[in-house]
Amino acid sequence: MKQENALGCHFKRLKPIRGGTRQAALMMENSMKLAKFIGSALVALTISAPAIAQQSPGGQPDQVAQLAQMVGLSEEQQTEIRGIIDDMQGEIGELRQDARSLQEDLQEQIKPDYDESAIRDNAAKLGDVTGEIAALSALMQAKVDAVFTQEQRDELDRRMKQMQQQMQQQRQMMQPQGQQ
């Protein structure tokens, strides 16, 4: 069911999922949309943590190197993708921090003597920030996509479909017998 907020933006009302929240459901839905092309591993991990060296200090493997193995990226392609990620990662990280701060501000406004104007202002700002994060993430994906050859895109698409099927099978196995 689509609804419209006070700003005229359409959004989809999500039902709560077992063991989670609406925010988690929304994040899952958005992740699936973003993962269609580049893959959830590349997007989630390259946005949230720098992936410059073969092995980062935290012990997390380099996502670009993993992608290179998956689709056969050349050294030049890897360098170009790292440059794209480096260029956009800082800005996306700052916007995520802004979004967290705005979310905290909104939470602080939830009280008996609330200020509707302040709530609406913070909500509008949060919407703008999350919209910009989504736009930058999509632009980063498009720029990375432009680096791939058609054969690499086809291979990545094949692997993503395979991963989605595996995830769907795992979800089905986790559902109680009566709900399948």
Side-chain angles (χ1 to χ4, degrees), residues 62-169:
D62 177 9
Q63 298 304 307
V64 175
Q66 289 179 350
L67 185 62
Q69 271 188 320
M70 188 184 300
V71 299
L73 296 176
S74 69
E75 288 295 324
E76 294 81 21
Q77 287 176 306
Q78 291 179 59
T79 300
E80 191 172 348
I81 290 171
R82 283 189 175 91
I84 292 166
I85 292 168
D86 288 346
D87 288 345
M88 301 189 85
Q89 203 168 29
E91 188 174 358
I92 290 171
E94 289 174 19
L95 288 171
R96 284 179 184 244
Q97 182 57 45
D98 291 347
R100 279 189 290 274
S101 177
L102 287 166
Q103 185 67 43
E104 290 171 9
D105 291 348
L106 273 172
Q107 291 299 315
E108 291 174 10
Q109 291 293 326
I110 300 173
K111 55 189 175 186
D113 60 335
Y114 65 92
D115 179 352
E116 183 175 351
S117 177
I119 290 172
R120 290 188 182 278
D121 287 346
N122 280 336
K125 289 175 187 175
L126 181 59
D128 290 344
V129 170
T130 56
E132 185 63 15
I133 291 169
L136 288 173
S137 296
L139 286 168
M140 182 174 70
Q141 289 179 359
K143 289 178 180 183
V144 170
D145 177 52
V147 175
F148 295 144
T149 65
Q150 186 59 50
E151 293 80 18
Q152 290 167 331
R153 285 185 199 100
D154 293 343
E155 176 63 15
L156 186 58
D157 189 41
R158 184 187 70 75
R159 290 196 181 221
M160 286 305 302
K161 286 178 183 175
Q162 186 178 39
M163 286 173 46
Q164 287 173 347
Q165 288 174 345
Q166 289 172 351
M167 288 172 53
Q168 184 177 6
Q169 289 172 351

